[in-house]
């Protein structure tokens, strides 16, 4: 690790890069050393490489009314793209690269091939009503690609995207944050974290845990297991008495 200190220092002081950027390089070095040690037997041992501290990744998501404003402000060819992103959690590259041959509207599923996702693994995408509506809006426009503009596959739409955000009054929001919005809506609607992990194709449970705080009400029953007031009131209530009324009266008397 000492041998890497000059590299870390120069990258931070001279280049001004973040700890996260440096960590990505350190991960490559760590992987190379581990392969040289474990697979090739070139090294007798490998010193542990510690990652630098990184700030927690933000979770930026839209409220339902904000999403409606954004979609309304988009040009017509981009509306189905954003609607599909909000319905499926797919990334921009996964959406723009989606082909009709990978969609089964009758079964309401789509497939992302190996090598087309961030993890490199393929995965199935269940299509809810919103996703189906987005696909139906583009059906017949191109024989191969699901989302096109002027008969061509869309490569990038940063200008139209930025203008739509400005018209809708949406700030500090990237296209990838539509995936965070999708995940946040799922958690708030009761989807479990393991279910969300499978839906989103995440390999790391840590990535999914970022959304756990968005639905604290799911733990209400767990929090109630150690309630002292409720158990005391139930134990003291006379036979046949209305426990709920008794509890309400007692709580009021504490104010």
């Amino acid at each position: 690790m000492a041998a890497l200190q000059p590299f870390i220092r120069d990258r931070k002081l001279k280049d001004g890069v973040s700890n996260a950027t440096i960590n990505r390089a350190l991960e490559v070095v760590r992987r190379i050393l581990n392969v040289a040690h474990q697979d090739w037997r070139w090294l007798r041992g490998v010193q542990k490489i510690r990652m630098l501290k990184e700030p927690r990744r933000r979770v930026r998501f839209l409220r339902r009314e904000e999403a409606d404003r954004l979609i309304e402000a988009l040009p017509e060819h981009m509306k189905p793209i954003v609607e599909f992103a909000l319905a499926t959690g797919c990334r921009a590259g996964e959406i723009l690269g989606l082909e009709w041959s990978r969609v089964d509207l009758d079964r309401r599923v789509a497939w992302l091939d190996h090598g087309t996702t961030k993890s490199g693994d393929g995965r199935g995408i269940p299509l809810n009503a919103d996703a189906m509506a987005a696909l139906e809006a583009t059906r017949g426009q191109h024989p191969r690609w699901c989302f096109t503009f002027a008969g061509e596959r869309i490569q990038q739409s940063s200008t139209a995207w930025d203008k739509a955000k400005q018209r809708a009054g949406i700030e500090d929001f990237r296209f990838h944050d539509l995936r965070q919005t999708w995940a946040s809506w799922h958690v708030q609607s009761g989807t479990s974290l393991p279910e969300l992990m499978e839906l989103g194709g995440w390999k790391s449970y840590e990535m999914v845990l970022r959304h756990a705080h968005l639905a604290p009400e799911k733990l209400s029953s767990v929090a109630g297991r150690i309630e002292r007031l409720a158990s005391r009131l139930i134990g003291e209530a006379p036979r046949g008495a209305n426990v709920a009324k008794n509890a309400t009266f007692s709580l009021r008397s504490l104010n």
Side-chain angles (χ1 to χ4, degrees):
M1 188 65 183
L4 293 171
Q5 289 305 318
F7 164 77
I8 296 174
R9 183 175 59 252
D10 289 346
R11 290 290 280 158
K12 294 186 74 170
L13 297 180
K14 293 182 180 180
D15 302 331
V17 301
S18 65
N19 284 0
T21 299
I22 295 174
N23 281 344
R24 302 297 82 77
L26 294 179
E27 288 171 354
V28 173
V29 174
R30 182 171 61 183
R31 177 58 180 162
I32 292 173
L33 292 176
N34 285 335
V35 170
H37 169 56
Q38 298 173 4
D39 297 345
W40 300 339
R41 307 297 182 184
W42 288 359
L43 302 174
R44 291 184 177 180
V46 176
Q47 185 179 3
K48 185 175 182 180
I49 298 178
R50 298 185 182 277
M51 298 294 108
L52 304 180
K53 289 186 177 180
E54 297 182 31
R56 290 185 176 274
R57 296 185 181 183
R58 67 176 195 150
V59 177
R60 173 72 168 97
F61 66 95
L62 298 178
R63 300 188 301 274
R64 303 274 180 168
E65 59 272 19
E66 288 179 313
D68 291 340
R69 288 206 319 267
L70 176 60
I71 293 173
E72 183 64 27
L74 288 167
E76 289 302 317
H77 72 280
M78 284 197 66
K79 289 181 179 180
I81 297 174
V82 172
E83 290 169 343
F84 192 83
L86 290 171
T88 64
C90 288
R91 301 175 179 88
E94 296 168 348
I95 297 172
L96 299 181
L98 186 62
E99 303 181 38
W100 287 113
S101 62
R102 311 309 296 162
V103 176
D104 188 332
L105 295 177
D106 293 331
R107 294 176 55 196
R108 295 169 65 108
V109 292
W111 295 272
L112 300 177
D113 289 333
H114 292 278
T116 63
T117 65
K118 185 178 180 180
S119 67
D121 296 333
R123 75 174 188 273
I125 305 296
L127 303 175
N128 61 20
D130 294 337
M132 290 288 292
L135 288 171
E136 287 291 352
T138 66
R139 194 175 185 181
Q141 294 181 4
H142 196 276
R144 180 179 179 183
W145 305 108
C146 294
F147 300 100
T148 60
F149 177 62
E152 299 291 336
R153 177 188 176 187
I154 299 174
Q155 300 294 335
Q156 192 174 7
S157 302
S158 58
T159 302
W161 169 256
D162 290 339
K163 288 182 178 180
K165 288 192 300 179
Q166 187 176 9
R167 287 193 295 268
I170 305 295
E171 299 179 350
D172 186 30
F173 193 80
R174 308 161 300 175
F175 190 94
H176 187 72
D177 291 328
L178 293 172
R179 179 171 167 86
Q180 306 302 331
T181 298
W182 164 84
S184 301
W185 288 359
H186 260 292
V187 172
Q188 292 170 344
S189 299
T191 302
S192 70
L193 296 185
E195 288 173 332
L196 182 62
M197 184 174 178
E198 186 174 357
L199 281 172
W202 281 292
K203 284 192 171 182
S204 170
Y205 196 63
E206 181 182 355
M207 300 294 292
V208 185
L209 284 176
R210 289 185 294 165
H211 306 279
H213 70 284
L214 298 173
E217 63 276 4
K218 295 180 67 174
L219 297 176
S220 295
S221 60
V222 178
R225 292 172 184 170
I226 62 168
E227 289 176 350
R228 297 171 60 239
L229 179 60
S231 60
R232 187 165 59 246
L233 291 173
I234 293 174
E236 295 175 355
R239 179 172 297 181
N242 188 316
V243 176
K245 183 183 293 185
N246 196 15
T248 302
F249 173 81
S250 299
L251 289 171
R252 287 176 179 173
S253 65
L254 295 176
N255 296 331

